[in-house]
Structure formats: structure tokens, C-alpha cells
Amino acid sequence: MELTNESALLQEVYQGAAMGADAIRYLLPKVDNPRFRSDLQTQQKQYKQTAANAEKQMKALGDCPKDLGSGQQSMLWACVQGKTLCNKETSHLAELMIQGSSMGIVNLTKVLNSYTPADPLDDPAGQQAQQQARELAQTAIQAEEDNINRLKTYLQ
């Protein structure tokens, strides 16, 4: 089945949130600071909720999200392991998370800016799906910006 514009946008939201949740899962065993750990766990719950919302909207459109491939997950795991091998300081881990959130903002903003919804006159019923997909993408971007601002307090 060919993906609609809404599905493509929602797929990007889903994969970005899934990648964020996985990155935190790989990072948590390296975290010693209890407050930082709690913040990351809260952020991970937010990512999982965003992914669940994207999945729900995609299913309403008749599509299913594609999970990260094993290659992507392996690369993410290797990247986290490599970048934390010699430095597990809270400041460094926060910096890594800020970089990841920044990449998420850039990727999702590009997709959102290139998103071209169908003409509502052609499909009035689809107008609500379009609006929900855009709102979820905008909410995900705002959440990433909030995450960055919260994580900045750990930088030294």
C-alpha cells in the first residue's frame, strides 16, 4: 500500500520517537546521577507515548508504522557504546542526548516543511487526519526543544 502524506509524516514521527527511546535504553545503564536518570526516564516515556500516538494515527489511516531496522538499531547501539566508552560523565551524556534531540528536530522539521497535504476540497474527511498528523509532528518538535532546555542544566 502506498503511504499517504499523513502516513509519511507520521512514520517520521514514529521512527524519531522510537530512536530516542532506544537511545535512552542504551544510555541508562551508564547513568549514575539519580536526577539525570529520572529526567531520561521521563523523556523515554514521552518518546514511547509519541510513538504510540503516531502508530494509532497511522492505523486509523490504514497503515502500520515500520520499526527501526536491525541495522539502524545496531548502529545506534554501537554509536552509544563508542561515544560513552571513555566518558560516562553526566555532562557528556547530556551533550549526546542534546545532539540526538537536535538531529530529531532537524529531521522532523524538514519532513514537516516538505509535507503537502491534499486539498481539503478533494477530501474533506482527510482534513482532520492532516491536522492531527501536523499537530503530532509539531508537538514532537516542541518536546525535543523542551528536552534540550532541560538537559542543558547538566552541561558543565
Side-chain angles (χ1 to χ4, degrees), residues 59-133:
K59 286 183 177 179
L61 294 170
D63 292 320
C64 291
K66 294 182 178 111
D67 288 323
L68 296 175
S70 60
Q72 286 176 302
Q73 286 185 340
S74 295
M75 284 180 27
L76 177 60
W77 180 86
C79 183
V80 169
Q81 299 310 312
K83 291 186 178 203
T84 60
L85 187 61
C86 296
N87 188 349
K88 295 178 184 146
E89 295 293 321
T90 300
S91 179
H92 177 66
L93 300 180
E95 184 178 346
L96 294 176
M97 287 300 300
I98 289 169
Q99 289 170 359
S101 289
S102 296
M103 286 190 323
I105 290 169
V106 169
N107 291 339
L108 197 49
T109 300
K110 284 180 179 180
V111 172
L112 191 56
N113 287 344
S114 67
Y115 170 68
T116 309
D119 186 348
L121 297 175
D122 294 339
D123 183 16
Q127 188 173 11
Q128 183 178 5
Q130 294 168 7
Q131 184 62 30
Q132 287 176 333

Side-chain angles (χ1 to χ4, degrees), residues 8-20:
L9 178 58
L10 292 166
Q11 178 65 34
E12 189 68 28
V13 171
Y14 178 86
Q15 285 201 325
M19 186 168 286

Side-chain angles (χ1 to χ4, degrees), residues 28 31 33-43 154:
L28 280 174
V31 175
N33 182 314
R35 192 177 64 131
F36 182 55
R37 173 181 291 282
S38 177
D39 280 347
L40 287 181
Q41 289 169 330
T42 298
Q43 189 172 337
Y154 297 102

